[in-house]
Amino acid sequence: PSKRHLELWSQFGISLSLDLSDAPHGNIISDSVFGDIAWSPCETKLAYIAQIVPKSKNSISFFKSVNNKNESVRGEQYDYEDDFGEAMSGINKTAVFILDISNSLDTITTRPSSSRLIQVQQLEIGQTCAQVNWHPSGNGITFVVYDNLPRRVGLVYCQNRPSKIVFASIPSKQSLSEQSLSEQSLS
C-alpha cells in the first residue's frame, strides 16, 4: 500500500503532517464535484469525503479445486464494480470523515490514532456522498447524498440525479470519539 499524508500549511510553512496510510478509508477526494476539505468554525476539525476501502474478496479461481466449499466464492474477484467514469474513473464508494486535530497541533508528524478520526454516516447501498460543509455554529455538518441506482453514470456532466441534503449534528461539549452522531435528512 502506498503512503498517504495530509499536510496542513500556514504562511510560515508546514504546521502538521498526518500519516493517513493506516486510516480506515482510501484516498481523500477533493475536486469540483465531490467538494473540498472543510474546516470547522473553531478550526480544530476537518470534514472531508474519502473513498471507502472495499472489503477484501475471499474468492478463489474457477480453475482451482476447493476442499471446503463454504470458505470462499468462486470468481468473486471478477465482479464488476461500476464507477462514475468520465474524469472520475475509480471513484465508486465514498463516505464523510471528520478528523479532530486539536490534540495534534503541537507536533509536525503524527498518526490518526493520536488524532480522532470517525466516519460520519454509513450510507445505504447505492448511495454516494459529496460536498461536505460545516454548519456556521460548528454543531453539525451538511452533505449531499446521491442515489446511484440502477447504475452510476458520470457526475461531471450529468448532475441532474436524485439527491438529498443530510445534516449530521455533532454535540460540541463531548470529545469527538465519544460523540453519537445523529443524521437528519433535509430532503
Side-chain angles (χ1 to χ4, degrees):
S2 63
K3 294 280 186 181
R4 291 187 315 253
H5 291 276
L6 176 66
E7 296 179 345
L8 304 177
W9 287 71
S10 69
Q11 63 186 6
F12 304 110
I14 190 165
S15 311
L16 177 67
S17 176
L18 295 168
D19 183 1
L20 296 177
S21 301
D22 297 329
H25 59 70
N27 292 334
I28 294 174
I29 303 170
S30 177
D31 60 20
S32 62
V33 176
F34 286 97
D36 289 322
I37 295 172
W39 280 99
S40 65
C42 63
E43 296 184 357
T44 59
K45 295 177 185 74
L46 299 171
Y48 57 87
I49 306 292
Q51 279 272 93
I52 296 176
V53 177
K55 295 177 184 173
S56 61
K57 295 181 179 179
N58 187 22
S59 64
I60 57 171
S61 172
F62 285 110
F63 305 107
K64 291 186 180 179
S65 62
V66 179
N67 295 336
N68 185 356
K69 294 183 179 182
N70 294 334
E71 287 182 15
S72 58
V73 178
R74 286 191 179 271
E76 190 177 58
Q77 73 267 27
Y78 303 111
D79 287 349
Y80 174 73
E81 290 191 31
D82 59 343
D83 58 19
F84 286 102
E86 295 169 343
M88 291 185 251
S89 186
I91 298 175
N92 52 15
K93 295 177 184 162
T94 62
V96 177
F97 290 88
I98 296 178
L99 179 64
D100 185 350
I101 61 167
S102 58
N103 295 337
S104 306
L105 293 175
D106 55 348
T107 61
I108 295 295
T109 304
T110 186
R111 288 195 149 348
S113 58
S114 63
S115 301
R116 290 168 289 218
L117 177 66
I118 62 165
Q119 182 176 345
V120 171
Q121 182 181 23
Q122 188 69 30
L123 297 177
E124 297 174 16
I125 294 174
Q127 292 185 330
T128 302
C129 55
Q131 303 168 4
V132 64
N133 283 302
W134 285 91
H135 186 272
S137 68
N139 66 353
I141 58 171
T142 59
F143 54 96
V144 176
V145 176
Y146 290 108
D147 291 330
N148 301 321
L149 296 177
R151 69 179 68 85
R152 287 177 180 83
V153 292
L155 265 174
V156 174
Y157 303 111
C158 180
Q159 292 185 358
N160 57 347
R161 65 180 67 233
S163 62
K164 60 184 172 184
I165 297 174
V166 176
F167 176 80
S169 66
I170 302 172
S172 60
K173 299 200 179 204
Q174 296 173 319
S175 68
L176 196 57
S177 60
E178 298 168 353
Q179 290 174 5
S180 60
L181 300 175
S182 60
E183 293 86 20
Q184 177 180 355
S185 176
L186 301 176
S187 59

